[in-house]
Amino acid sequence: HHSHHSHHSHLSPLSHRHSQLNEKKDNVLVVCHALTGNSALDTWWGDFLGPGKAFDTDKYLVVCCNVLTSCYGSTGPTSINPTTGKPYGSTFPEVTLRDAVGLQIRTIREGLGANRVAAVVGGSLGGMQALEWAALGGDFVRCFCALSCGSKHNAWQIGMSECQRQAIYGDLNWNGGDIDPANPPNVGLSIARQIAMVSYRTAQAFDRKFNRHVDEKTNQFQVQRYLAYQGTKFLSRFDANSFVALTKLMDTHDMGRGRKGGVAGALGDMNQPALIVSIDSDVLYPPYEQMELHQLLPNSQFESIRNDDGHDGFLLAQEEIGPILGDFLDKNAGVINFGNHAFSPSDAEERDEPSDGRSRL
């Protein structure tokens, strides 16, 4: 996926598209991905995608944007710096989440030619992007859904990310970010992933899944084996510079930064219909943060999902979340399914005939 001549003047968020643009060019549904999600939506929120489902491909052109610094595409630390001919690595400029979303908006507006976005949806890091989309996009964004996130990355989340980054920094192969591709900091990255995996779940979930069971062969607790396996599995699909850059990108999330009235002022100005979804057992992005969003957004609906899965619930509870998302989009995204052709309510007034597996976090 890496373009060997990407300059920052034309960064390219890789996007996967499903279905097509309608005549009014306002049936785009943008889905923002989470930390290690990639833009192949069907691999992580697949239950939502398809004709008649929440992300109804008969109605919407579903576009999944890659966030700037991910190693699954877009320009990031593994891209080649045209001035040095080497990967950017740790020299990749620090971007804010707001910058990344601004680029996505430009891509959808200019690259895709959309006149309006029907909805923006995301969970976790994706939810943070959805909030910025609505704030920056204004009337360009008809409605939005943010799951399992807050109005800013708080000290708790920054602290969790920092533990993960320090695990990477402590690996001698990190070398200040100047990584030898033949000897990457695999130990550090694996530990970082293990810390993250614990934070995504709950005590109840781990107790139910592992209890104190011991693996006979290795004489290790099953939970130890599980974490080691997850840490190793992660290495095949993520590199350390991207992981550090993405966690730092998340730490820049702050709806109030540079906006009149801070967080309350920023959210108070976002008038679009909003759906806020909370997993009641989330210890990483706790429900009080979603409650705050709901209280400060003038036009929002709040839904709490009961399970013991913790933060990962936004991916695991698809059966419960699907209908809630679908209902909200049906009422607020303004795109009606008319036979097989998507059109907006305003089309009807102008003419008689309408035109035209899952990964963790």
Side-chain angles (χ1 to χ4, degrees), residues 119-136:
V120 184
V121 184
S124 194
L125 168 58
M128 302 171 209
Q129 291 170 75
L131 290 169
E132 279 293 357
W133 257 90
L136 294 173

Side-chain angles (χ1 to χ4, degrees), residues 6 71 102 112 180 195 220 226 259 263 273 286-287 297 308 319-320 353 355:
S6 26
C71 56
L112 202 62
D180 170 4
I195 297 168
Q220 281 184 308
Y226 166 81
R259 288 185 172 131
V263 166
L297 289 164
D308 284 335
E319 275 175 46
E320 293 86 346
E353 299 266 334
S355 57

Side-chain angles (χ1 to χ4, degrees), residues 243-262:
F243 185 88
V244 168
L246 260 178
T247 59
K248 284 184 172 176
L249 181 81
M250 292 168 79
D251 288 349
T252 69
H253 172 54
D254 179 2
M255 294 303 293
R257 184 180 58 253
R259 288 185 172 131
K260 197 165 170 271

